[in-house]
Amino acid sequence: MGFSFLFHCLLILSVLFSNNVFSVHAFTGTYGVNYGRIADNLPSPHSVVTLLKAAKIKNTRIYDANHDVLTAFKGSGIEIIVGLGNEYLKEISIGEDRAMNWIKENVQSYLPGTKIVGIAVGNEILGATDVELWEVLLPAAKNVYSALSRLNLEKTVEVSSPNSEAVFANSYPPSACTFKEDVLVYMKPLLQFFSQIGSPFYINAYPFLAYKFDPEHIDIRYALFEKNPGIYDAKTNIHYSNMFEAQVDAAYVALEKAGFGKMEVIVSETGWASRGDENEAGATIKNARTYNHNLRKLLAKKKGSPYRPKKVMKAYVFALFNENLKPGPTSERNFGLFKPDGSIAYDIGFTGLKDSSAASLRLLSFKGIGAHHGWFPSSYALVLTVCAASVLLILSS
């Protein structure tokens, strides 16, 4: 009987290991949020953790590796992708030792308490104006991955690099999407590397920006997931009822044409501004609420896009807060789901938060908000503990 129990324990352990319980994936579920901090009126990182827990948001991205944020997220169970800023790329590209120093200081020292699951190497590099950064992006990404490998963290921390729509020559209809020729020279080897290490393709997809620049020819209902005639892509025989899915599929088509048809697409940024300048069409609270509410409903269905129905769509919303110090047009400072006091900017169905007339984050309760601490969910830890103890007893008897 003892050996029978031992056999079952070993079987349970083998199942746990075979399902990669010990590895951390860069995205849990389908919904995440970007936590930008270009502002002087935001709540403390500890209060942000409280807010994210209350909203049941399990995934977040930051654009740096701020130590106050990483410390505050310790033990929260919230998965976080940190950013290696564009300003570091040239230095990191020089040698693996530079990457090693950065990772030890900003990633390894916070694991496993803070669930850092990814490093975004740069942001919107390819297709932007600084061509020198195009040249150093791949060497920097390789050095980051090599350093992670030497620290045995390559299966825990994903390496990626978000892209803007500027990498595409055209994206309408989705079946016509291709990478720009000058971008493809740098994109293809980068995709080859990401394919080898199992990283997805991250794209910042904004129907708001598309509508803002061409409101006369784009039906706002199509951009907001509302009932509309949609568009028909004759080449793929697919009817699109919203622009978000069309943008996701355009990325899949471009990847396929470049030879990477199996690579997953994840939306690293998407959102809708609640305010804008006079020439920023569609930037209203009503439209922002409609877009983000409908996006959340779509992602909750955990379904694929029309062109890749078996690859569940995932997205990080931009952004957690309005950021009052961001430069540029008014819209840039008004993408937030929440106000600095922790109240919602508009209602898209989050629970655990008050509306805009409510009090501040201090009134948010931790009651009923659970989080896993450390590397394993408690149920797995319990199974492992019981099995290990039983095995020791049997072997010692």
Side-chain angles (χ1 to χ4, degrees), residues 1 18 83 91 134 146 155 184 186 205 226 232 267 272-273 309 317 338 365 367 373:
M1 183 174 179
S18 67
E91 179 184 354
W134 298 19
S146 295
K155 294 182 180 179
L184 191 59
Y186 297 92
E226 294 184 316
Y232 174 68
V267 176
W272 198 284
V317 173
F338 299 96
S365 171
K367 184 178 180 181
H373 297 266

Side-chain angles (χ1 to χ4, degrees), residues 233-308:
D233 192 327
K235 186 173 182 179
T236 56
N237 194 31
I238 292 175
H239 176 267
Y240 288 96
S241 62
N242 64 81
M243 188 184 295
F244 177 81
E245 290 182 318
Q247 289 182 329
V248 170
D249 277 353
Y252 273 123
V253 169
L255 288 170
E256 186 175 68
K257 291 178 180 178
F260 301 92
K262 294 183 179 180
M263 184 171 286
E264 180 183 16
V265 171
I266 295 179
V267 176
S268 39
E269 288 183 19
T270 189
W272 198 284
S274 59
R275 283 185 60 204
D277 297 322
E278 288 186 7
N279 63 343
E280 295 189 286
T284 68
I285 290 179
K286 180 178 181 294
N287 289 339
R289 181 202 174 277
T290 299
Y291 180 81
N292 282 297
H293 176 71
N294 289 336
L295 173 68
R296 189 165 177 243
K297 284 201 305 182
L298 175 68
L299 296 175
K301 294 177 181 177
K302 298 182 179 180
K303 71 183 190 74
S305 66
Y307 193 66
R308 287 285 187 267

